[in-house]
């Protein structure tokens, strides 16, 4: 399970809307309490692809985000990206790029009137499973 605050959720939605028509992307830093992942900080990164259909995170920004997590005693819990025009599910490309079964892969869909955020996990055989996500 992964837990975000309502203001973190709003932050992601607002930021993703500002990147339209392109996909937004970023990393989630936080802590693990028992088996709950608690997001403490969102790192918005530049989508260097500047595309509505795919994303690549700026490598330098990724590096400094990880550094900042270390200095705060956070760990990398996962990442997120937006789907401006498609549902919140992992595309074939998203699966291909997913590399770590410990990470949560959050996808925010802006295709409907209401933003929809879901979290996924993927195993080494590229089997995707939805992860419980709580906003509170
Ligand atoms: Zn995607």
């Amino acid at each position: 399970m992964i837990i975000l605050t309502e203001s973190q959720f709003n932050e992601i939605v607002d930021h993703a809307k500002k990147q339209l028509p392109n996909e937004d992307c970023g990393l989630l830093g936080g802590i693990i309490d028992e088996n709950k992942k608690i997001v403490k900080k969102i790192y918005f990164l530049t989508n260097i692809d500047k595309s509505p259909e795919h994303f690549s995170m700026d490598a330098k920004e990724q590096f400094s985000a990880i550094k900042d997590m270390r200095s705060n005693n956070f760990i990398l819990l996962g990442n997120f990206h937006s789907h401006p025009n498609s549902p919140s599910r992992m595309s074939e490309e998203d699966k291909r790029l997913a590399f770590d079964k410990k990470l949560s892969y959050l996808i925010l869909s802006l295709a409907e009137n209401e933003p929809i955020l879901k979290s996924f996990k993927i195993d080494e055989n590229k089997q995707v499973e939805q992860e419980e996500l709580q906003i509170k």
Side-chain angles (χ1 to χ4, degrees), residues 9-21:
F9 171 74
N10 292 333
E11 214 184 324
I12 293 175
V13 172
D14 288 347
H15 196 272
K17 283 183 176 170
K18 284 191 193 122
Q19 312 312 308
L20 289 172

Side-chain angles (χ1 to χ4, degrees), residues 18 22 48 58 85 89 104 112 116 121 123 127:
K18 284 191 193 122
N22 297 328
I48 57 170
D58 181 283
N85 307 306
R89 60 170 177 241
S104 298
E112 307 290 333
I116 295 171
K121 301 192 83 174
D123 69 14
Q127 291 301 306

Side-chain angles (χ1 to χ4, degrees), residues 109-130:
S109 171
L110 297 173
E112 307 290 333
N113 291 336
E114 288 297 313
I116 295 171
L117 182 66
K118 290 182 183 170
S119 180
F120 301 93
K121 301 192 83 174
I122 187 163
D123 69 14
E124 45 281 273
N125 302 314
K126 301 283 178 185
Q127 291 301 306
V128 176
E129 196 181 300
Q130 198 176 333

Side-chain angles (χ1 to χ4, degrees), residues 23 53 81 83 86-87 89-97 107 128:
E23 290 194 3
E53 275 146 22
H81 71 281
H83 281 178
S86 61
R89 60 170 177 241
M90 285 183 94
S91 66
E92 289 309 311
E93 175 80 352
D94 292 336
K95 289 182 199 169
R96 199 176 61 75
L97 294 172
I107 300 178
V128 176

Side-chain angles (χ1 to χ4, degrees), residues 15 19 22-27 43-51 54-62 80:
H15 196 272
Q19 312 312 308
N22 297 328
E23 290 194 3
D24 193 15
C25 59
L27 299 176
Y43 300 83
F44 292 99
L45 305 190
T46 305
N47 175 6
I48 57 170
D49 292 347
K50 304 214 177 305
S51 160
H54 50 92
F55 72 99
S56 305
M57 295 181 189
D58 181 283
K60 262 192 198 151
E61 291 175 8
Q62 247 178 305
F80 73 90

